[in-house]
Amino acid sequence: MAGMFGGMQIDPVLDARATLSKWLVAINNPDEAVRQIQGQPSGTFICFRMPDGNYSICYSFEARPQFVRLVRSEAGIAVMGSMMAFPKLADLIASLCTSQDPNLPCNLLPPTPLQLTKEQEKEMKKQQKEMEKKQKSADKDKKKTAPGSQWGVSDVVQWIEAIDLKDYCGTFK
C-alpha cells in the first residue's frame, strides 16, 4: 500500500498507519499545504513529501501556517534539530501529538479516529498476513541453518521445486 500512496515509491519510514491516515497527504507543494492549514486551530497539521523526497509537517499555530522539516538518519526519522528519531513516520507523529517537542511551539492535534473502508481493512489485513508469512518464513530459514538442524524431505522437495529441477530429479524415482 505504501507504494501506491499518491504515486510515492515504497519508503521504509511509511507503514499502513501513515498511508491510510488523514494527516499524510499526497501533495508536494508547500503552497497547497498552507492553503489547507490556513485558519485552522493551533496544532492542526498535515504531513507531506517535498519534491526532494523528504517530509515536512505544515501545522497551524495561532491560526497561521508553520512548517517543520523532517530529516532521516540511520535511527529513522526526526524533526529537524531534534535528537529523538523514530523508525516510522507514524511513530514520530504519535509522539508529536502526545508530548511537546522543543522545536514546535505547540503539540500537534491528534487526528480524529480513522474510519477505514472495507477495501482499506482488507488491504491492511492482507499486509499483516504477508508480514506474518515473511516472518514465519524467516524464522523457518533460521531453523534450517541453525547448527545441528536437519532438512526434512519436504524441505528438499520445496527447494528442488524452487530451483526448477523437478523434471530432472523425477527421472530418479
Side-chain angles (χ1 to χ4, degrees):
M1 188 77 162
M4 298 187 308
F5 179 75
M8 290 183 192
Q9 294 180 339
I10 294 174
D11 188 330
V13 299
L14 294 181
D15 61 12
R17 296 173 299 158
T19 58
L20 296 175
S21 72
K22 294 179 180 180
W23 49 261
L24 183 62
V25 295
I27 62 172
N28 64 0
N29 180 339
D31 294 334
E32 176 61 21
V34 166
R35 190 187 68 69
Q36 290 186 28
I37 294 300
Q38 189 75 41
Q40 297 295 318
S42 288
T44 303
F45 73 98
I46 58 173
C47 183
F48 62 98
R49 196 170 192 175
M50 299 290 287
D52 66 3
N54 289 310
Y55 292 93
S56 188
I57 296 173
C58 181
Y59 63 95
S60 179
F61 180 65
E62 297 177 352
R64 289 190 309 271
Q66 307 285 321
F67 287 90
V68 65
R69 194 162 175 82
L70 305 181
V71 294
R72 297 169 194 251
S73 69
E74 288 182 18
I77 189 162
V79 171
M80 183 177 272
S82 175
M83 301 298 271
M84 184 69 120
F86 295 84
K88 299 290 181 189
L89 180 59
D91 298 324
L92 171 62
I93 296 296
S95 173
L96 294 174
C97 290
T98 58
S99 61
Q100 182 72 40
D101 186 288
N103 297 296
L104 298 174
C106 63
N107 283 10
L108 300 181
L109 293 177
T112 56
L114 182 62
Q115 297 297 318
L116 300 178
T117 65
K118 291 194 183 281
E119 184 178 307
Q120 290 172 324
E121 284 179 15
K122 285 181 185 178
E123 182 64 28
M124 277 187 78
K125 286 179 183 177
K126 180 180 172 185
Q127 285 180 355
Q128 287 174 332
K129 284 181 182 180
E130 286 174 7
M131 287 174 51
E132 289 170 3
K133 185 177 178 181
K134 286 179 183 176
Q135 185 61 48
K136 284 181 183 177
S137 178
D139 292 344
K140 190 175 180 181
D141 288 343
K142 284 180 186 175
K143 288 179 184 176
K144 288 180 186 177
T145 59
S149 67
Q150 295 180 345
W151 283 51
V153 174
S154 64
D155 296 325
V156 174
V157 170
Q158 285 179 339
W159 177 73
I160 290 170
E161 288 175 346
I163 61 172
D164 212 16
L165 292 176
K166 61 184 171 195
D167 294 331
Y168 175 75
C169 292
T171 61
F172 295 111
K173 289 183 181 176

Short mmCIF file of all heavy atoms in Angstrom, two decimals, residues 31 33 49 68 149 166 169:
data_model
loop_
_atom_site.label_atom_id
_atom_site.label_comp_id
_atom_site.label_asym_id
_atom_site.label_seq_id
_atom_site.Cartn_x
_atom_site.Cartn_y
_atom_site.Cartn_z
N ASP A 31 2.73 25.53 -0.92
CA ASP A 31 1.62 26.48 -1.06
C ASP A 31 0.28 25.80 -0.86
O ASP A 31 -0.64 26.36 -0.25
CB ASP A 31 1.66 27.17 -2.44
CG ASP A 31 2.88 28.07 -2.60
OD1 ASP A 31 3.40 28.55 -1.57
OD2 ASP A 31 3.31 28.27 -3.75
N ALA A 33 -0.15 23.12 0.98
CA ALA A 33 -0.22 22.81 2.42
C ALA A 33 -0.70 24.04 3.20
O ALA A 33 -1.57 23.92 4.08
CB ALA A 33 1.15 22.36 2.92
N ARG A 49 5.18 15.00 1.42
CA ARG A 49 6.52 14.73 0.90
C ARG A 49 6.92 15.87 -0.03
O ARG A 49 6.19 16.21 -0.95
CB ARG A 49 6.51 13.41 0.15
CG ARG A 49 7.87 12.84 -0.10
CD ARG A 49 7.74 11.44 -0.61
NE ARG A 49 9.01 10.79 -0.60
CZ ARG A 49 9.18 9.53 -0.91
NH1 ARG A 49 8.13 8.78 -1.23
NH2 ARG A 49 10.37 9.00 -0.89
N VAL A 68 7.71 22.57 9.69
CA VAL A 68 8.86 21.93 10.32
C VAL A 68 9.30 20.81 9.37
O VAL A 68 8.48 20.07 8.84
CB VAL A 68 8.56 21.41 11.75
CG1 VAL A 68 7.55 20.29 11.74
CG2 VAL A 68 9.83 20.97 12.42
N SER A 149 20.79 -28.55 12.81
CA SER A 149 19.45 -28.75 12.26
C SER A 149 19.54 -29.63 11.02
O SER A 149 20.57 -29.71 10.37
CB SER A 149 18.80 -27.41 11.91
OG SER A 149 19.48 -26.79 10.85
N LYS A 166 12.70 -30.19 -10.79
CA LYS A 166 11.81 -31.31 -10.51
C LYS A 166 11.71 -32.29 -11.68
O LYS A 166 11.62 -33.49 -11.48
CB LYS A 166 10.43 -30.81 -10.08
CG LYS A 166 9.71 -29.98 -11.08
CD LYS A 166 8.42 -29.45 -10.51
CE LYS A 166 7.84 -28.44 -11.50
NZ LYS A 166 6.83 -27.65 -10.92
N CYS A 169 14.95 -34.33 -11.61
CA CYS A 169 15.00 -35.23 -10.46
C CYS A 169 13.92 -36.31 -10.55
O CYS A 169 14.07 -37.36 -9.95
CB CYS A 169 14.85 -34.45 -9.16
SG CYS A 169 16.28 -33.38 -8.84
#
